Amino acid sequence: MDDLREQLCAYGRRAVELGLVIGTSGNLSARRGDLVAVTPSGVALDRLTPGSCPVVDVEGHLVEGDLQPSSETPMHLAIYRSTGAQAVVHTHSVFGTVVATTMSELPPVHYNALLLGGVVKVAEYATYGTPELAANVREALAGKQAALLANHGGVTIGPGLEQAFEATRLLEWLCEVYVRGLGVGKPVVLTDEQLAAVVERSLNPPSFPRRP
């Protein structure tokens, strides 16, 4: 698990550098088999060391580490139990949180929303670290790579930390596009037909014959 704990430190620093978290907010985890490396509670993500990242099993028992796992560990474990994800990233990014405090979902105003599963749902509010929040997030994530947490932040998943982190960056970008768009007018939402055309295009890209 040492390599996963090192990745938690690297992506934790990036999350801080990109302004996706402040203070000790936000948490990341990565799974291998029945074990999960997670960021610790009460430690800023840019101050992590591999040894400070606890390891728990999928049932929530502490396996290794001196520090307590993040208070959001129950949410991470619920996601692992209900999806094929191997990594989870949870942040309190500005634009994601703005959308999460004002809307019930983020509509697809750009076709890259398809990379997250289309419409991004906002999970119903519940106190952080509770089974209720974990259940709400699990429901909002069904069939998706991302969800927003009402009055809280956002969460993304992936087959590894790199993919989950890139999904977080994309989620924040989509939220920023939508919020800034509201300052100009009413953002246009892509239709199901338009999104289907994008999927078709991705499955049948143009071919460019080699010049004789």
Side-chain angles (χ1 to χ4, degrees):
M1 301 293 286
D2 289 346
D3 58 329
L4 294 183
R5 294 160 102 180
E6 290 177 359
Q7 288 182 42
L8 291 179
C9 297
Y11 284 104
R13 288 192 295 271
R14 289 197 66 195
V16 174
E17 291 167 358
L18 295 174
L20 298 172
V21 296
I22 60 170
T24 60
S25 69
N27 33 79
L28 302 83
S29 69
R31 177 180 184 175
R32 178 168 293 153
D34 290 333
L35 297 179
V36 176
V38 62
T39 53
S41 177
V43 179
L45 294 185
D46 58 349
R47 297 182 181 179
L48 297 175
T49 62
S52 68
C53 297
V55 175
V56 299
D57 64 21
V58 291
E59 300 303 321
H61 302 109
L62 183 62
V63 174
E64 186 176 349
D66 297 323
L67 299 180
Q68 285 298 305
S70 165
S71 59
E72 294 289 14
T73 299
M75 177 181 72
H76 288 244
L77 297 180
I79 292 171
Y80 287 127
R81 288 193 293 264
S82 61
T83 72
Q86 296 296 299
V88 177
V89 175
H90 168 51
T91 65
H92 295 177
S93 58
V94 174
F95 288 97
T97 305
V98 168
V99 173
T101 60
T102 57
M103 302 177 63
S104 61
E105 63 182 31
L106 175 68
V109 293
H110 190 282
Y111 59 80
N112 275 343
L114 288 169
L115 297 174
L116 301 180
V119 173
V120 177
K121 297 180 180 179
V122 178
E124 186 176 346
Y125 181 79
T127 305
Y128 78 91
T130 61
E132 291 79 14
L133 178 62
N136 294 347
V137 171
R138 185 175 55 196
E139 181 179 351
L141 268 175
K144 311 285 184 177
Q145 300 300 306
L148 292 164
L149 288 61
N151 302 88
H152 188 155
V155 63
T156 59
I157 62 176
L161 273 168
E162 179 181 3
Q163 296 89 342
F165 190 81
E166 288 305 308
T168 286
R169 293 182 62 200
L170 176 57
L171 175 62
E172 178 67 356
W173 181 80
L174 289 168
C175 289
E176 181 174 358
V177 167
Y178 189 84
V179 171
R180 290 188 182 276
L182 288 172
V184 178
K186 183 178 181 181
V188 175
V189 177
L190 295 175
T191 66
D192 290 342
E193 291 76 15
Q194 289 170 324
L195 293 173
V198 172
V199 173
E200 176 66 23
R201 185 62 167 176
S202 68
L203 295 174
N204 298 282
S207 111
F208 298 91
R210 187 176 297 277
R211 185 173 64 182

